[in-house]
């Protein structure tokens, strides 16, 4: 049996009170409860405080470049689709530097789970504004307040073709574990946007701030209804934060639509091609 | 025997397809071919041209004169007239224009034939091909067969329709110009051969080397590799991904390579520039990767459809920080096959990026490659994955005693992915193997992959990675090939990559006027083993650097790496490939 201890790497170096602690525990708990082991998953980390989880979570992993975890994750999944692949990234990392990859990974419905630590600031570089920050947010890079409006990651994911779009709050651990489990089990692109206070560099979006503005989805919410999902997702722009699975649909994942993988064998395990005669014909 | 045929016309008039068919006809008859194309970065309008040189012996560069020029418009004649002789045949339609000049005029009524057969104007090329074949003494059957193959998916009707135009062009010559017919295209078949462009050769060699993942974003002149490998993917089983940008391209390939699939990416200068950060990622995570870099004139968008060797110094320096990287630059299609297949092995053995450099000239020109050469190459090639291991290999007693950090609290052990070794190369266990785990880390790391900022450990890992360079120079670096006799030569040419064909052709011409030359051709460009190369540079000889760029980048590299300065330089940088005549005239 795999226990949560098997996933425990080096002691974390996050600030006391940081939401990352809860996210780290939730990820390990979800993996343990789903019976995964450090050998059966691959995690790809971006660069930032979230990415530093690389040393605290035992698993096959790439600690990648800033913004590039998603394409790494796609490559891993295509090469060996038997592996469960997680991209553990930050808001600036995934929605800023890697924004293009995020959109296109949604479009491809690649079977990866993207867990975004959304604290609305850049923590590791000591407090500049992130793409999810509220308009007017003052930071080291925007002393007069940010002019741009915040990016709405949930709506962006839904309209781009993601098939599992969810949001959780780092202060609600039990729901966070449940949603992460469902995201990992989902076939196709799954997004878990984690609202997370940064105790050191964000004095606005605190635990208290979120507690006053989060709301659980209505029991009658139908995650298959795209219009309804978009309506709920965009309430972020009014500083109201829905928690739960906002949108989910069943579509074939990218790798499931590749003829090359139809036999079920992975790309790395199939026999070597050797019918060269069939190729020579093109050149005679 | 050597003969040059050239066809020109407006973009959109099927010049490329027609030219390639001509090359294939000559190849099927047993001739060696070399062809190249000239086209602007446009889909319609502008001038397209395709030149084929055929010979009964090996040929890898153009000839000075055009023996048969097929004009689908007046522009073609104007642009290429200076390379005609009085014996040159010029095919055109006198209804389009009156050809003026001292050459053999062959009027073929494209327009009348099109009207008669009720076809679109684009059929001009098929008529011209039929006429060319007749004029060069070829049998019509060979063209018929190619038309049947080309259109076999489109049905009998389309096949017959195309044949009609070709036949009318052919018959027009037989009836009206019987005395002008030259016995050029007579069958001399010796051995089966393929007509391969540099890009075709890279694609084919990637399949031979068992590359399983190719990722790219279209960029001239590398795009045809993406199209070719994609068209084969259901047959070969390779996954070909057209990603959203070149940053995603290379990072996808790093992911798939990390997971165990032989992976490659392809691009030109601009796309390569976007990949540079991730090349460093492959360097520090020690992830094997083959990068196909087909150059075109820069900077920035430059001249997209023309040629230059302007990215050598960029390629060898690509990536921030210091890490081993291997750069190879084949000179022709055979070398492209050999070095591409070798690149995949080197990437796996040294667990580092390997760059294959091409350029528009090599990528899009076609060469004759004997089927026997390829079959022998395939038979002798073996996939060498270096220190990549599987779980069962861990029981092998040859392994180091300690290959993981014992974790007392868990049954899962931290594999030492970056273990310090004498040759600099560590064992690579593929992710997913039960009982172990490790991370590939873009931060500096310990032997177990975990992040470190300690000075000693940093130095140990830097030294380990650097030792891979020493191991490579000892085991796999190849000294440049020398064509001719260095001791006897009056002039010694030095060049790299695609300029090989032109220099060898220049040597042949110079030999006829009793000028003895030698030629040092570099295709293993970086890193360079000084002590293995020094002896090629003699103190009392005249060395001439030949490059398709304005800086003499190989010259700078040789200065930097082995302290040798070549003062005489023949450099060309107008977007066109240097020709043998230009080399000779510059001496």
């Amino acid at each position: 049996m795999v226990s949560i201890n098997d996933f425990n790497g080096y002691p974390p170096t996050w600030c006391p009170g940081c939401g990352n602690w809860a996210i780290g525990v939730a990820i390990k708990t979800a993996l343990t409860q789903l019976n995964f082991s450090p050998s059966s998953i691959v995690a790809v980390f971006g660069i930032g405080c979230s990415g530093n989880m690389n040393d605290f979570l035992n698993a096959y992993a790439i600690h990648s470049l800033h913004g590039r975890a998603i394409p790494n994750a796609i490559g891993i999944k295509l090469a060996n689709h038997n592996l469960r692949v997680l991209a553990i990234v930050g808001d600036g990392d995934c929605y800023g530097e890697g924004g293009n990859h995020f959109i296109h990974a949604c479009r491809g419905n690649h079977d990866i789970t993207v867990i975004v630590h959304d604290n609305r600031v850049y923590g590791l570089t000591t407090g500049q504004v992130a793409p999810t920050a509220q308009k007017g947010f003052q930071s080291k890079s925007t002393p007069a307040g940010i002019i741009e409006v915040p990016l709405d990651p949930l709506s962006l994911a839904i309209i781009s073709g993601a098939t599992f779009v969810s949001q959780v709050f780092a202060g609600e651990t039990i729901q966070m574990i449940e949603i992460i489990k469902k995201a990992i089990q989902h076939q196709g692109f799954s997004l878990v946007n984690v609202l997370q206070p940064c105790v050191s560099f964000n004095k606005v979006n605190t635990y208290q701030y979120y507690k006053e503005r989060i709301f659980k989805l209505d029991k009658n919410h139908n995650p298959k209804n795209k219009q309804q999902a978009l309506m709920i997702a965009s309430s972020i722009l009014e500083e109201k934060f829905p928690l739960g699975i906002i949108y989910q649909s069943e579509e074939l994942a990218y790798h499931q639509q590749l003829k090359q993988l139809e036999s079920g064998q992975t790309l790395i395990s199939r026999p070597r091609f050797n019918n060269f005669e069939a190729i020579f014909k093109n050149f005679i | 025997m050597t003969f040059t045929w050239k066809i020109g016309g407006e973009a959109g008039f099927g010049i490329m397809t027609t030219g390639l068919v001509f090359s294939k006809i000559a190849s099927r008859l047993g001739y060696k071919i070399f062809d190249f194309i000239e086209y602007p970065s446009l889909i319609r309008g502008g001038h397209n041209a395709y030149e084929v040189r055929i010979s009964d012996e090996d040929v890898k560069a153009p000839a000075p004169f055009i023996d048969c020029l097929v004009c689908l418009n007046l522009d073609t004649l104007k642009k290429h007239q200076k390379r005609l002789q009085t014996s040159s045949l010029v095919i055109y339609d006198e209804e389009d224009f009156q050809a003026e000049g001292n050459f053999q005029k062959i009027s073929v009524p494209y327009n009348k034939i099109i009207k008669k057969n009720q076809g679109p104007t684009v059929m001009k090329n098929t008529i011209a091909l039929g006429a060319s074949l007749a004029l060069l003494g070829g049998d019509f059957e060979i063209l018929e067969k190619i038309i049947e193959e080309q259109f076999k998916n489109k049905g009998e009707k389309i096949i017959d329709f195309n044949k009609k135009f070709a036949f009318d062009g052919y018959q027009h010559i037989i009836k009206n110009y019987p005395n002008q017919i030259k016995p050029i295209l007579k069958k001399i078949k010796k051995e089966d051969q393929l007509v391969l462009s540099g890009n075709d050769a890279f694609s084919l060699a990637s399949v031979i080397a068992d590359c399983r993942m190719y990722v790219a974003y279209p960029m001239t002149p590398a795009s045809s590799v993406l199209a070719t490998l994609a068209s084969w993917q259901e047959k070969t089983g390779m996954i070909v991904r057209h990603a959203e940008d070149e940053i995603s391209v290379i990072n996808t390939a790093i992911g798939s390579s990390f997971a165990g699939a032989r992976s490659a990416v392809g691009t030109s200068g601009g796309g390569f520039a976007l990949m540079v950060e991730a090349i460093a990622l492959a360097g520090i995570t020690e992830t094997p990767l083959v990068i196909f870099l087909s150059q075109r004139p820069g900077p920035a968008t430059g001249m997209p459809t023309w040629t230059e060797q302007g990215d050598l110094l960029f390629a060898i320096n690509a990536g921030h920080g210091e890490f081993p990287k291997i750069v190879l630059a084949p000179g022709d299609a055979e070398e492209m096959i050999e070095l591409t297949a070798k690149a995949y092995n080197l990437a796996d053995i040294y667990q580092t990026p390997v760059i294959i450099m091409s350029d528009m000239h090599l990528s899009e020109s076609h060469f004759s490659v004997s089927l026997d050469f390829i079959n022998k190459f395939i038979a002798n090639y073996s996939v060498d994955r270096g220190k990549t291991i599987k779980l069962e290999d861990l029981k092998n007693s040859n392994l180091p005693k300690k290959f993981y950090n014992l974790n007392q609290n868990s049954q899962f052990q931290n594999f030492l992915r970056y273990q310090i070794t004498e040759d600099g190369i560590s064992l690579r266990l593929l992710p997913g193997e039960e009982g172990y785990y490790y991370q590939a880390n873009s931060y500096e790391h310990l032997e177990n992959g975990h992040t470190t900022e300690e000075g000693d450990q940093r130095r140990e890992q830097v030294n380990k990675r650097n030792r891979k360079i020493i191991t490579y120079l000892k085991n796999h670096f190849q000294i440049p090939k020398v064509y001719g006799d260095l001791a006897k030569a009056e002039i010694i040419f030095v060049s790299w990559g695609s300029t090989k064909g032109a220099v060898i052709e220049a040597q042949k011409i110079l030999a006829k006027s009793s000028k003895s030359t030698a030629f040092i051709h570099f295709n293993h460009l970086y890193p360079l083993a000084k002590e293995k190369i020094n002896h090629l540079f003699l103190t009392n000889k005249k060395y001439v650097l030949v490059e398709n760029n304005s800086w003499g980048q190989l010259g700078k590299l040789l200065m930097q790496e082995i302290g040798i300065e070549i003062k005489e330089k023949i450099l060309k940088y107008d977007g066109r490939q240097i020709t043998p005549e230009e080399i000779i005239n510059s001496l």
Side-chain angles (χ1 to χ4, degrees):
Chain A
M1 274 300 283
V2 175
S3 80
I4 195 161
N5 282 335
D6 292 312
F7 288 104
N8 282 337
Y10 286 43
T13 50
W14 292 313
C15 305
C18 172
N20 279 344
W21 292 86
I23 302 171
V25 169
I27 291 173
K28 288 176 199 168
T29 309
L31 290 170
T32 309
Q33 289 182 3
L34 291 174
N35 240 332
F36 286 107
S37 80
S39 298
S40 64
I41 62 145
V42 178
V44 188
F45 299 93
I47 298 298
C49 292
S50 57
N52 282 351
M53 197 189 291
N54 74 305
D55 287 317
F56 321 142
L57 174 75
N58 290 342
Y60 283 111
I62 300 180
H63 196 179
S64 180
L65 297 166
H66 188 56
R68 316 301 170 206
I70 286 179
N72 290 155
I74 290 171
I76 294 165
K77 189 72 194 182
L78 293 176
N80 183 353
H81 60 262
N82 288 338
L83 297 169
R84 279 278 153 190
V85 184
L86 274 57
I88 297 170
V89 295
D91 45 19
D93 187 27
C94 182
Y95 302 141
E97 187 89 19
N100 201 24
H101 310 315
F102 175 73
I103 294 170
H104 294 276
C106 291
R107 281 182 58 224
N109 196 28
H110 290 278
D111 189 16
I112 59 174
T113 297
V114 179
I115 300 173
V116 185
H117 300 224
D118 179 3
N119 61 9
R120 308 177 134 200
V121 286
Y122 287 63
L124 199 57
T125 50
T126 67
Q128 299 81 4
V129 76
T132 45
Q134 214 63 40
K135 185 170 170 69
F137 185 84
Q138 290 177 318
S139 76
K140 280 188 182 167
S141 57
T142 56
I146 183 172
I147 293 168
E148 291 97 325
V149 297
L151 184 128
D152 166 7
L154 306 177
S155 298
L156 181 61
I158 296 168
I159 60 164
S160 301
T163 51
F164 184 105
V165 178
S166 68
Q167 182 158 264
V168 295
F169 172 49
E172 298 264 354
T173 315
I174 291 171
Q175 188 195 27
M176 186 158 53
I177 294 167
E178 284 314 306
I179 300 280
I180 289 175
K181 275 164 71 178
K182 284 182 176 149
I184 292 171
Q185 286 171 309
H186 175 77
Q187 289 270 2
F189 187 93
S190 52
L191 170 69
V192 184
N193 191 62
V194 189
L195 303 169
Q196 173 210 353
C198 171
V199 292
S200 298
F201 300 107
N202 188 337
K203 305 298 182 196
V204 178
N205 308 111
T206 59
Y207 281 97
Q208 197 54 40
Y209 168 91
Y210 281 115
K211 280 198 171 137
E212 287 162 11
R213 290 169 177 83
I214 52 176
F215 66 95
K216 293 219 163 133
L217 293 175
D218 191 89
K219 274 195 182 129
N220 297 324
H221 173 66
N222 174 10
K224 286 182 181 159
N225 184 333
K226 205 178 226 176
Q227 292 306 324
Q228 200 183 19
L230 281 168
M231 287 256 298
I232 293 170
S234 58
S235 52
I236 288 180
L237 302 175
E238 292 150 28
E239 293 190 72
K240 287 180 200 157
F241 302 94
L243 301 184
I245 301 168
I246 317 290
Y247 179 71
Q248 185 171 15
S249 68
E250 275 177 43
E251 311 283 346
L252 287 176
Y254 187 96
H255 73 274
Q256 293 171 317
Q257 299 175 65
L258 287 172
K259 280 225 168 82
Q260 299 93 301
L261 300 180
E262 253 173 13
S263 72
Q265 277 181 308
T266 62
L267 183 68
I268 57 168
S269 66
R270 70 153 171 75
R272 193 176 160 191
F273 171 82
N274 59 15
N275 180 16
F276 297 105
E277 291 295 321
I279 284 178
F280 293 157
K281 277 194 294 197
N282 299 305
F283 303 117
I284 293 171
Chain B
M1 188 282 282
T2 166
F3 191 89
T4 295
W5 174 91
K6 183 162 192 154
I7 185 166
E10 213 178 298
F13 270 70
I15 304 293
M16 305 306 173
T17 327
T18 311
L20 184 56
V21 168
F22 189 88
S23 286
K24 284 184 173 177
I25 288 174
S27 170
R28 287 181 185 194
L29 291 168
Y31 296 93
K32 300 278 182 190
I33 66 101
F34 165 78
D35 71 27
F36 68 96
I37 59 178
E38 298 163 288
Y39 65 105
S41 187
L42 296 167
I43 300 302
R44 292 281 163 155
H47 183 68
N48 278 11
Y50 197 117
E51 181 165 328
V52 185
R53 183 179 183 189
I54 68 173
S55 173
D56 44 13
E57 50 188 274
D58 215 20
V59 59
K60 279 166 184 163
F65 301 108
I66 299 168
D67 301 302
C68 178
L69 180 66
V70 181
C71 308
L72 299 190
N73 60 6
L74 178 58
D75 237 20
T76 307
L77 182 60
K78 281 186 184 161
K79 280 199 153 59
H80 307 290
Q81 192 155 14
K82 57 181 183 293
R83 288 179 57 210
L84 295 173
Q85 293 173 294
T86 48
S87 61
S88 300
L89 305 161
V90 175
I91 299 177
Y92 66 104
D93 184 353
E94 57 192 12
E95 204 183 305
D96 287 341
F97 59 86
Q98 288 303 314
E100 278 162 33
N102 191 14
F103 45 75
Q104 308 301 309
K105 296 168 186 112
I106 313 287
S107 179
V108 176
Y110 310 135
N111 296 292
K112 284 204 182 85
I113 296 172
I114 283 168
K115 232 180 240 164
K116 184 194 116 199
N117 294 326
Q118 296 177 329
T121 348
V122 68
M123 297 307 291
K124 265 187 185 182
N125 69 57
T126 311
I127 303 167
L129 198 55
S132 299
L133 191 64
L135 201 53
L136 306 183
D139 292 330
F140 187 66
E141 287 71 40
I142 192 153
L143 180 54
E144 262 190 317
K145 193 155 180 269
I146 287 195
I147 291 174
E148 284 162 18
E149 290 165 10
Q150 245 185 342
F151 299 102
K152 73 165 186 274
N153 296 331
K154 298 196 171 164
E156 283 289 307
K157 240 181 157 177
I158 302 282
I159 290 173
D160 289 342
F161 184 72
N162 276 275
K163 277 186 190 170
K164 242 186 333 192
F165 292 86
F167 187 72
D168 285 354
Y170 191 91
Q171 279 303 106
H172 179 80
I173 298 294
I174 303 287
K175 276 188 201 149
N176 299 287
Y177 296 97
N179 300 328
Q180 296 276 27
I181 293 174
K182 295 187 177 187
I184 301 296
L185 292 175
K186 291 293 168 203
K187 195 174 175 95
I188 54 159
K189 191 151 190 170
K190 293 170 193 154
E191 54 170 356
D192 287 331
Q193 49 187 9
L194 304 184
V195 175
L196 292 179
S197 70
N199 282 359
D200 295 335
F202 176 83
S203 306
L204 182 58
S206 294
V207 176
I208 292 170
D210 200 23
C211 168
R212 296 188 178 206
M213 171 76 95
Y214 183 75
V215 198
Y217 184 93
M219 187 166 187
T220 309
S223 313
S224 72
V225 173
L226 173 61
T228 300
L229 291 174
S231 75
W232 296 347
Q233 63 184 335
E234 286 180 21
K235 224 177 278 172
T236 60
M238 185 187 290
I239 292 181
V240 178
R241 178 173 193 241
H242 168 177
E244 62 273 19
D245 57 36
E246 285 88 348
I247 300 174
S248 180
V249 163
I250 187 165
N251 280 291
T252 303
I254 288 171
S256 57
S257 176
F258 167 74
R262 275 200 159 179
S263 304
V265 300
T267 187
S268 188
F272 183 76
L274 291 179
M275 293 182 180
V276 166
E277 185 194 26
I279 294 175
L281 175 66
I284 194 167
T285 57
E286 307 199 31
T287 307
L289 185 65
V290 171
I291 301 161
F292 180 63
L293 167 57
S294 183
Q295 306 158 95
R296 67 193 214 187
T301 311
M303 303 203 326
T305 59
W306 300 87
T307 200
E308 191 164 286
Q309 296 182 301
D311 296 336
L312 176 60
L313 295 176
F314 178 35
I316 66 165
N317 290 302
H320 52 300
E322 301 166 329
F323 58 92
K325 181 191 321 128
I326 298 166
V327 180
L328 309 173
D332 54 37
E334 279 107 339
E335 280 187 19
M336 181 66 86
I337 291 173
E338 290 167 338
L339 293 182
T340 299
K342 180 176 180 176
Y344 286 98
N345 279 350
L346 293 177
D348 267 339
I349 293 168
Y350 295 101
Q351 301 175 4
T352 210
V354 180
I355 300 172
I356 291 276
M357 295 192 75
S358 180
D359 51 38
M360 182 273 182
H361 179 78
L362 174 58
S363 277
E364 299 197 347
S365 295
H366 292 87
F367 302 80
S368 292
V369 180
S370 103
L371 194 55
D372 187 51
F373 164 85
I374 294 176
N375 281 326
K376 280 195 180 126
F377 182 79
I378 292 171
N380 293 326
Y381 180 77
S382 55
V383 170
D384 185 344
R385 305 215 64 183
K387 293 193 185 178
T388 310
I389 49 164
K390 294 209 166 89
L391 198 58
E392 60 255 33
D393 302 326
L394 290 176
K395 295 174 189 113
N396 191 321
S397 55
N398 293 332
L399 287 187
K401 281 197 186 89
K402 184 185 152 217
F403 51 82
Y404 61 87
N405 273 357
L406 184 66
N407 183 350
Q408 301 279 11
N409 304 320
S410 172
Q411 51 192 315
F412 296 93
Q413 307 303 337
N414 191 343
F415 183 77
L416 298 180
R417 173 66 185 92
Y418 301 108
Q419 190 158 36
I420 303 296
T421 58
E422 215 169 295
D423 61 7
I425 308 161
S426 315
L427 293 178
R428 179 174 172 239
L429 185 70
L430 297 182
E433 294 287 19
E434 194 52 36
Y436 298 91
Y437 65 88
Y438 67 82
Q439 59 171 316
N441 199 341
S442 77
Y443 280 85
E444 191 54 274
H445 38 253
L446 307 171
E447 286 186 299
N448 69 10
H450 281 289
T451 308
T452 186
E453 294 181 0
E454 295 299 322
D456 286 349
Q457 290 155 343
R458 155 73 176 175
R459 205 170 43 242
E460 276 187 10
Q461 285 294 325
V462 170
N463 289 342
K464 176 189 111 69
R465 290 191 291 268
N466 286 347
R467 280 199 297 278
K468 296 200 276 190
I469 300 171
I470 298 163
T471 310
Y472 163 78
L473 291 176
K474 203 170 75 192
N475 295 345
H476 287 99
F477 171 74
Q478 271 180 19
I479 64 163
K481 205 163 174 187
V482 177
Y483 299 85
D485 188 335
L486 285 179
K488 286 185 190 153
E490 294 165 59
I491 300 164
I492 299 167
F493 296 111
V494 179
S495 93
W496 64 284
S498 74
T499 37
K500 176 184 172 186
V503 178
I504 289 179
E505 183 76 16
Q507 283 186 287
K508 281 187 198 162
I509 299 168
L510 288 167
K512 283 180 193 155
S513 50
S514 305
K515 261 222 151 81
S516 85
T517 63
F519 170 33
I520 303 172
H521 180 251
F522 282 84
N523 61 20
H524 284 57
L525 281 153
Y526 193 81
L528 289 171
K530 184 177 179 177
E531 67 285 358
K532 290 187 180 180
I533 298 172
N534 267 339
H535 72 279
L536 300 175
F537 292 90
L538 312 167
T539 48
N540 54 350
K541 291 283 181 181
K542 174 177 168 168
Y543 286 83
V544 180
L545 187 70
V546 181
E547 295 193 58
N548 248 99
N549 57 45
S550 75
W551 283 6
Q553 296 195 15
L554 174 63
K556 285 180 186 286
L557 180 63
L558 292 176
M559 184 67 196
Q560 175 187 310
E561 295 294 312
I562 56 176
I564 282 160
E565 186 179 9
I566 302 172
K567 291 207 173 80
E568 286 196 44
K569 300 179 180 78
I570 302 175
L571 304 174
K572 192 177 183 194
Y573 42 91
D574 59 0
R576 277 75 178 163
Q577 186 74 356
I578 195 157
T579 65
E581 292 69 38
E582 285 169 333
I583 294 171
I584 293 164
N585 295 338
S586 305
L587 287 172

